[in-house]
Amino acid sequence: EAEAPSPVPSVVAPAAKKKKASLPSPPKRVGKTTLHFRSDVTPSDRDGHPSGILHATRIVPSSSGDGDGREEHAFAWISEIIDDDDVRVASHLASHGFRPSQMKFVPFSSKANWIARYPHAGPCVSCDENGEISGRVPRHDADDGAEDTFCGTASRRRKRSPKNGGKRPRDPPRLLPEGVLPDLERDELHVAIHSYLSWLHDELAEMETSNGGRRRVSGAGVSVPGLRSLVAKMEGTFGAVRLERERREREE
């Protein structure tokens, strides 16, 4: 009788080793770092550009007397340089301990664009088109918990005008002290947004009267009832929008 063949031993392949995720190399150790603030105005237009940021620095001695003190930075927005406004703002910051030799002016398109690009360097001082300086300058003794000081106003002298009796034009009111738009421009913006949304609602509502139009509106991901609700919400929220709607209804 023939013997049964002996079973062939199974060979198990060794499990593949998992590769370890590569770790980033340790950060380079340096003696200093530098923050750069770049102008958004083209080089050819920088010399004559009227608005921008004045960047100032100062060293506040440590209350304990140890070390080199604390380095502080301040940023001032100048809306329009007239009658040496940049020099006046620099002198104003210098009166609060900032070093004139370290001040730099960066031409920039607008205050809003500066804040959008450099939110960590928001202006604490502003000089408007009338030469009025306002804002809060950090105190020398800020390390003792004291609040910043309001810098007050210091406006340049303007030539007398027969239209206003020689009085300096007042800064237009703003809903928020640090708001970008004066109240009148803000109202105009809300009215324009409301007009666009109302027009868009009417156009899409008319499109939905046909099967093809409903498919196009649905494919665009727009809710016509949602638009109508948004338009009504603006009318109930902003007084300028409500007044403009009532004016149009009277004219119709």
Side-chain angles (χ1 to χ4, degrees), residues 13-84:
K17 294 183 179 180
K18 294 183 178 180
K19 294 184 178 179
K20 294 184 178 180
S22 59
L23 298 176
S25 58
K28 184 179 179 180
R29 296 175 181 266
V30 297
K32 66 177 182 178
T33 61
T34 304
L35 283 174
H36 291 279
F37 300 99
R38 300 184 184 278
S39 172
D40 66 348
V41 179
T42 58
S44 59
D45 295 332
R46 288 174 189 169
D47 287 343
H49 193 75
S51 64
I53 282 285
L54 186 65
H55 179 197
T57 60
R58 70 183 178 192
I59 301 296
V60 179
S62 173
S63 57
S64 61
D66 299 332
D68 297 328
R70 183 175 67 251
E71 182 176 302
E72 294 183 344
H73 296 254
F75 301 87
W77 172 256
I78 303 177
S79 296
E80 185 178 6
I81 298 178
I82 302 177
D83 299 336
D84 297 326

Side-chain angles (χ1 to χ4, degrees), residues 206-228:
E206 184 176 352
M207 286 179 61
E208 285 198 322
T209 58
S210 66
N211 292 332
R214 281 195 294 272
R215 286 194 295 270
R216 289 181 62 189
V217 173
S218 176
V222 182
S223 168
V224 175
L227 271 177
R228 177 64 256 175

Side-chain angles (χ1 to χ4, degrees), residues 172-190:
R174 300 171 187 250
L175 178 64
L176 301 173
E178 298 299 326
V180 175
L181 294 178
D183 289 352
L184 180 60
E185 294 182 15
R186 175 174 48 82
D187 289 343
E188 292 174 351
L189 175 62
H190 291 159

